[in-house]
Amino acid sequence: MDKLLIQGSASLVGEIPVSGAKNSALPIIASSLLAEGPMVIGNLPHLQDVTTMIELLGTMGVEVVMGERMSMEIHSSTIKDLVAPYSLVKTMRASILVLGPMIARHGKAKVSLPGGCAIGSRPVDLHLKGLEAMGARINVEDGYIYAESDGRLKGAHIFMDTVTVTGTENLLMAATLADGETLIENAAREPEVVDLAECLIAMGAKIEGHGTSAIRIKGVPTLKGCHYDVMPDRIETGTYLVAAALSRGKVTLKGARADIMDAVIAKLEEAGATISIQKDSITLDMEGRRPKAVNVTTSPYPGFPTDMQAQFVVLNSLAEGSSTVVETVFENRFMHVNELVRMGANIRLEGNTAIITGVEQLKAAPVMATDLRASASLVIAGLKAEGETLVDRIYHIDRGYECIEEKLQLLGAKIKRVAS
Ligand code: EPU
């Protein structure tokens, strides 16, 4: 199993490109199941989760042709088997995104129920309730969700109890081919939901209100294939901005979109960073200063993203002053804290709150993490630790960060992948 070896070093300086957004790419690939014709999806990140989604479509009989420059062509009319098996769903919860499209287009689906995961119990009850409101019959048996509908789904008025990103995406996709109008209230406003909606609109769907908490969808008889480029990854962007800030460096993220990063940019500015926004890039400059501690509370978009929480715990661990980081989205998303404490961070956990007192320097240690963003946070901690940090279980990182060591090397970091 590969590991990352990081030598704590000087400030990060330079320019790197931002990859396509993982959490847009996954629902957009799933949406190709709704199209009558071929879909061409561009700006796809080269990531394990994207490969898993393609493998999932492959097991269903969908033909996928890899194109040039991070694009692929998907022919869903060749689908044979309306099943998402446990063997794939257990490796990636986002596999649940094929449920809505399959039941909407084919009236039937069998999808393995995702289990709990490292960051919380993560149920999918709201996905299922919404589909039931649209007339689907749902049975959960032997660890599988069996969904069926007599003919087309029916438009419905759905209120989501909790804001859920993939839940909103599943119902949004299902509603595009339902009879009549669907209103999803308390919908997720995440930019990835908007990106999916824009892709569905390009396929011929009738959608209004995406990006607000009330999405209105008028069902259409069919959707066509289209060419759609996935938006840039705001979490990858944010992760490198934090790495730059804690290294007291100056980094430009090319292709980044600042308009969807207000909460993160505001916190980085509060931490003392000078941020300049150009048309297609964001530059962060610490001018050699040590970051200042900032309080953070995660919440659904446009609030501060839970996917940036671990990185800000690291920033605060090295910042001047004390801070609190409160996690409100997932119940168990502090797995990085004990590892950071082993690296010399001063963090105390009280329920869903991390209370952090910044230290001048972390110390290298062998560390490992159990989820994607936690692993990324350990890598950036290693950049500012004295000595050599060895990060284990980096398959988590490969699920969500394209070429992380190459990108960090371009900024001057001393990091390499080692086989063990
Ligand atoms: N929830 C329910 N019932 C449901 C669905 C969700 O109670 O039916 C709860 C969850 O347990 C959680 C909260 O709602 O407490 C929010 O979860 P959400 O459903 O929004 O999470 P998700 O859709 O499974 C996506 C991202 C995550 C990201 C979260 C929150 C994808 C593929 N995944 O997950 O990304 O953390 O939204 O923004 O889009 C990551 O990239 O590392 C990652 C974990």
Side-chain angles (χ1 to χ4, degrees), residues 3 26 54 60 103 130 183 218 233 246 259 274 287 330 350 366 368 418:
K3 298 185 168 97
L26 299 175
I54 298 299
M60 296 174 181
I103 174 91
L183 175 64
K218 280 202 182 91
D233 197 312
L246 61 87
D259 61 315
T274 303
E287 288 150 17
F330 291 112
E350 269 181 25
M368 66 178 192
V418 291

Side-chain angles (χ1 to χ4, degrees), residues 22-23 26 94 119 122-127 162-167 169 190 306-307 329-330 333 372-373:
K22 168 179 84 79
N23 290 347
L26 299 175
I119 60 178
R122 297 180 82 181
V124 291
D125 55 314
L126 300 173
H127 302 228
T162 303
V163 176
T164 155
V165 176
T166 51
E169 291 166 347
E190 267 66 6
T306 173
D307 288 343
V329 178
F330 291 112
R333 209 175 193 180
L372 165 59
R373 308 301 170 188

Side-chain angles (χ1 to χ4, degrees), residues 12 16 25 27 32 36 41 47 68 127 147 161 216 233 238 256 270 308 340 349 400 408 418:
L12 299 183
I16 48 170
S32 65
E36 300 275 325
I41 307 173
L47 296 173
E68 279 177 20
H127 302 228
D161 267 352
R216 206 175 278 277
D233 197 312
E270 199 184 319
M308 286 299 301
L340 291 170
L349 274 183
L408 286 171
V418 291

